[in-house]
């Protein structure tokens, strides 16, 4: 198939008629599918059925009664599992309840209200700027927006955020206070930050003393094809004498249950002590029984890796459907471009400029709700209106096959209008 | 026994020798007991063993998968139980995770950072003042302190906060933004707010448009002797056209497990909508499996009341030991005064002025850690240094008997020094 930008008007009009018909035929099936969020499918959740088993003991390893008050930083044996899995000293880990977003929001809120390590609270500055590698995760950007930060787009490359730009931006502007990162299998592109990227982030020279890297390792064990790793930023930042700046997050939301997992925050000993001080005013402590339940079920890093390989086996064919359909239907058309994801939860594609919103709207009309166009950019505004996030984890293979067929029809149909408008 | 203030110097010196000896004898037993916090005892926790049972289904009543994302306001059938128990429309209830303190802190934080209903955020005011009925709960006061509010002591009466004072304070000062309340079996005195008190609070004329009542019904089902009730402040506030101002909190921390319960926030439809808007930025949703577990175990208001009567049966003899010992050992001495608690978790006593710190320090030396003197007042400063909170729920009856014996020795011994200093 040749590049569609080289088609003449008649050819485009012929295709327009074809895809109008294909769309109408598709619509008649009455498909109703919500692919807007990155949710695990029921068969993925079934793999964690053991988490619903009776709790063998409410006693922690050191004899503390997990039913009662106390243990603000979380049950030690549960922290130890994640310490071993992630290569972080156990004393630098705090466990939260089921939402790691809540840990991020609270950490951001503390910077805003109280300031960190004696620095001015962000609320007392005229403005705070935050770097947002994009496309990225909408809920990260929403936190910055909630606290009125000015978000600055940093383009993503196949190695992570454009580090030349990052270094240039932060070195002179003390109001740039941080950056959002999903280092392994980034949301939504599935990019793995290169060692060089992580090293440059860890040792960044910033004008702001209280620059913070919000390091959301949400997909830290979510291999789909090969098993990629990402450098240990806490180690690298410590070596660079900048360990306080790393706020590291992780959760079991996509290992066990989003609605019943545990979340993790790690940082330097000093930063963790600061978080715990604030935490002591905010809560009487986390749900320790769920931490015991999680430890009982997950056991150790090896059994987590075994468990994750079962999840990979479910995700792999779904990724294959998405990637194969894109290749087969749109391969040489020049209508989309994308980085092939190395793992994680999503495939992100770029349409021709100014087409993403129209594609998402048309897909919705056809019965498939995709993530809102623009959602992967700060303020929900994709400057070129090109990015579409495909969340393929929830639907069944059949549904996904159908949805991808529809998506490709919509991309073609919308692109035709675009090409006609440009060229004719 | 006659009032000790009428004893002469020789009599006091004789008693001093006696209680020095009693204290030294006691100390030799090597008792080690922490009575600093209001924690349930293991036998109370054992009553909720059913909460550790396997979860019958991860599906909610409306068919939602509780394991997955979603349901930001909490599982409906769990909310319904508390709606029925507390007499609050189910749509006005949000469920949080295990710590209701966290719900209070977050609600306070939102007033501070974002403001409510279009009013100026508290951070943008020169100062915010908060009414603190005292003695009260140290963790409430700590939240106000964390956000830099100026705390104003309001004396407690047997009917709740001194309402004449409250009405006078709030009517002209727009910087007085709220009040902390534990309406049923107040912490630490076990006072029940009278209907008149609740009505006056609900219809308070305040200079501040964004005045908020933080209504922490922490002991809403914690009867010990008779079953007292407290008027429904949401109903009364609605009748007065001031429903938005009530932030109502409740939790199962002291019904089931502090380290594995659920928490509740209720308010007007408009206030709850506002909380949910902020919540959508802060978290991907609560732990729904624990809400299902809680609903499965607690069932309905009647079974909660049955369950609580078993807890009462454990608490009652403990309260009896405390109250009987105080009566027998200190009855007519005039060394302490106290309101007999109607229920809840604590007994609070007032010593002679300037004695509480010394008594708590002496008890610690004798092997019993009490709640720090001053903790029941804002900033941890009890202006007259008289209030001591006795947290009798955790220790066994034997331990408690011993601890109370020690406490009475300490009160007598410290009071002797005080009386000698005043009169001789």
């Amino acid at each position: 198939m040749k590049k569609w930008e080289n088609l003449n008007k008649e050819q485009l009009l012929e295709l327009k008629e074809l895809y109008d018909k294909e769309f109408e035929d598709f619509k008649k099936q009455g498909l109703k599918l919500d692919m807007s969020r990155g949710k695990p499918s029921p068969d993925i959740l079934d793999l964690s059925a053991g988490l619903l088993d009776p709790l063998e003991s409410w006693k922690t390893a050191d004899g503390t009664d997990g039913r009662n008050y106390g243990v603000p930083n979380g049950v030690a044996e549960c922290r130890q599992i994640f310490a071993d899995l992630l290569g972080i000293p156990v004393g630098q880990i705090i466990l939260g309840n089921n939402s790691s977003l809540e840990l991020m929001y609270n950490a951001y809120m503390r910077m805003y209200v109280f300031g960190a390590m004696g620095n001015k609270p962000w609320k007392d500055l005229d403005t705070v700027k935050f770097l947002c590698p994009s496309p990225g995760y909408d809920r990260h950007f929403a936190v910055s927006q909630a606290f009125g930060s000015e978000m600055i787009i940093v383009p993503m490359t196949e190695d992570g955020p454009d580090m030349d730009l990052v270094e240039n931006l932060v070195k002179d502007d003390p109001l740039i206070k941080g950056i959002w990162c999903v280092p392994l299998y980034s949301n939504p592109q599935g990019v793995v930050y290169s060692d060089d990227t992580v090293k440059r982030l860890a040792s960044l020279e910033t004008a702001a003393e209280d620059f913070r890297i919000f390091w959301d390792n949400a997909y830290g064990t979510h291999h789909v094809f090969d098993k990629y790793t990402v450098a240990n930023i806490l180690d690298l930042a410590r070596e660079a004498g900048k360990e306080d700046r790393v706020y590291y997050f992780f959760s079991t939301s996509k290992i066990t249950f989003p609605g019943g997992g545990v979340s993790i925050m790690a940082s330097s000993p000093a930063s963790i002590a600061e978080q715990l001080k604030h935490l002591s005013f905010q809560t009487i402590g986390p749900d320790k029984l769920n931490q015991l339940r999680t430890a009982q079920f997950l056991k150790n890093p090896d059994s987590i890796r075994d468990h994750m390989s079962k999840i990979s086996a479910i995700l792999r064919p779904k990724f294959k459907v998405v990637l194969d359909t894109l290749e087969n239907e749109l391969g040489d058309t020049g209508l989309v471009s994308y980085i092939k994801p190395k793992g994680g939860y999503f495939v992100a594609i770029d349409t021709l400029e100014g087409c993403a919103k129209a594609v998402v709207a048309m897909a919705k009309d056809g019965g498939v709700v995709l993530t809102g166009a623009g959602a992967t950019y700060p303020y929900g505004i994709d400057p070129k209106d090109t990015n579409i996030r495909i969340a393929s984890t929830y639907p069944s293979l059949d549904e996904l096959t159908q949805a991808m067929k529809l998506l490709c029809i919509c991309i073609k149909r919308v692109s035709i209008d675009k090409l006609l408008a440009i060229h004719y």
Side-chain angles (χ1 to χ4, degrees), chain A residues 4 12 15-16 412-420:
Chain A
W4 283 28
L12 286 172
L15 288 170
K16 182 176 175 175
K412 287 174 186 167
R413 181 60 192 80
V414 169
S415 301
I416 289 165
D417 280 348
K418 177 77 185 178
L419 291 168
L420 283 168

Side-chain angles (χ1 to χ4, degrees), chain A residues 349-380:
Chain A
I349 60 172
D350 283 313
T351 63
L352 298 181
E353 284 194 21
C355 289
K357 267 191 192 165
V359 168
V360 170
M362 191 177 177
K364 189 178 178 188
D365 184 33
V368 175
V369 178
L370 296 162
T371 306
T376 56
Y377 279 80
Y379 309 104

Side-chain angles (χ1 to χ4, degrees), chain A residues 242-268:
Chain A
K242 298 171 190 297
E243 198 183 9
D244 295 343
R245 74 153 56 136
V246 180
Y247 286 173
Y248 188 122
F249 303 95
F250 186 80
S251 86
T252 65
S253 285
K254 291 182 183 83
I255 296 176
T256 59
F257 301 142
V262 303
S263 57
I264 289 100
M265 178 175 184
S267 189
S268 68

Side-chain angles (χ1 to χ4, degrees), chain A residues 14-244:
Chain A
E14 206 173 300
L15 288 170
K16 182 176 175 175
E17 202 174 328
L18 172 67
Y19 289 110
D20 272 341
K21 188 174 174 324
E22 285 207 7
F23 180 75
E24 289 310 318
D25 288 347
F26 189 96
K27 212 174 154 178
K28 282 179 198 140
Q29 300 176 46
L31 188 69
K32 282 272 162 243
L33 191 54
D34 188 343
M35 282 174 61
S36 64
R37 305 301 311 177
K39 291 165 63 172
S41 56
D43 52 347
I44 293 176
L45 298 172
D46 287 344
L47 294 170
S48 297
L51 203 55
L52 304 173
D53 286 348
L55 185 59
E56 282 160 24
S57 171
W58 38 258
K59 232 179 233 175
T60 69
D62 70 0
T64 303
D65 190 334
R67 303 171 299 182
N68 221 321
Y69 289 107
V71 198
N73 57 344
V75 171
E77 57 267 39
C78 191
R79 287 189 289 123
Q80 188 64 54
I81 294 173
F82 299 110
D84 294 342
L85 181 73
L86 304 170
I88 299 172
V90 67
Q92 291 173 229
I93 290 179
I94 300 173
L95 296 181
N97 286 330
N98 64 305
S99 171
S100 61
L101 182 67
E102 192 165 1
L103 297 183
M104 295 175 220
Y105 182 100
N106 286 344
Y108 208 104
M109 177 273 286
R110 289 167 193 148
M111 299 297 297
Y112 183 86
V113 172
F114 306 109
M117 309 268 167
N119 285 284
K120 224 180 211 189
W122 295 351
K123 72 176 169 60
D124 295 335
L125 303 172
D126 285 339
T127 184
V128 157
K129 303 175 194 170
F130 225 79
L131 302 184
C132 298
S134 301
Y137 179 37
D138 56 349
R139 284 185 175 271
H140 286 164
F141 303 158
V143 170
S144 287
Q145 196 171 354
F147 289 97
S149 305
E150 181 188 330
M151 292 184 272
I152 300 172
I153 292 177
V154 173
M156 282 290 288
T157 75
E158 297 216 24
D159 289 324
D162 177 341
M163 284 308 300
D164 291 343
L165 179 60
V166 169
E167 286 169 349
N168 252 313
L169 284 168
V170 302
K171 74 175 170 18
D172 298 319
D173 189 345
L175 293 178
I176 299 184
K177 294 296 190 186
I179 185 170
W180 289 107
C181 296
V182 182
L184 190 65
Y185 311 134
S186 72
N187 178 351
Q189 292 167 300
V191 159
V192 176
Y193 286 24
S194 70
D195 288 353
D196 183 60
T197 296
V198 180
K199 199 162 188 171
R200 288 168 76 178
L201 280 166
S203 52
L204 215 48
E205 295 297 336
T206 62
E209 271 192 47
D210 53 349
F211 187 87
R212 288 292 178 275
I213 299 173
F214 279 66
W215 193 254
D216 182 5
N217 196 11
Y219 307 101
T221 59
H222 293 69
H223 315 298
V224 175
F225 308 107
D226 293 325
K227 288 182 181 164
Y228 294 86
T229 55
V230 74
N232 187 324
I233 193 166
L234 280 166
D235 285 350
L236 292 169
R238 187 173 50 247
E239 284 160 23
K242 298 171 190 297
E243 198 183 9
D244 295 343

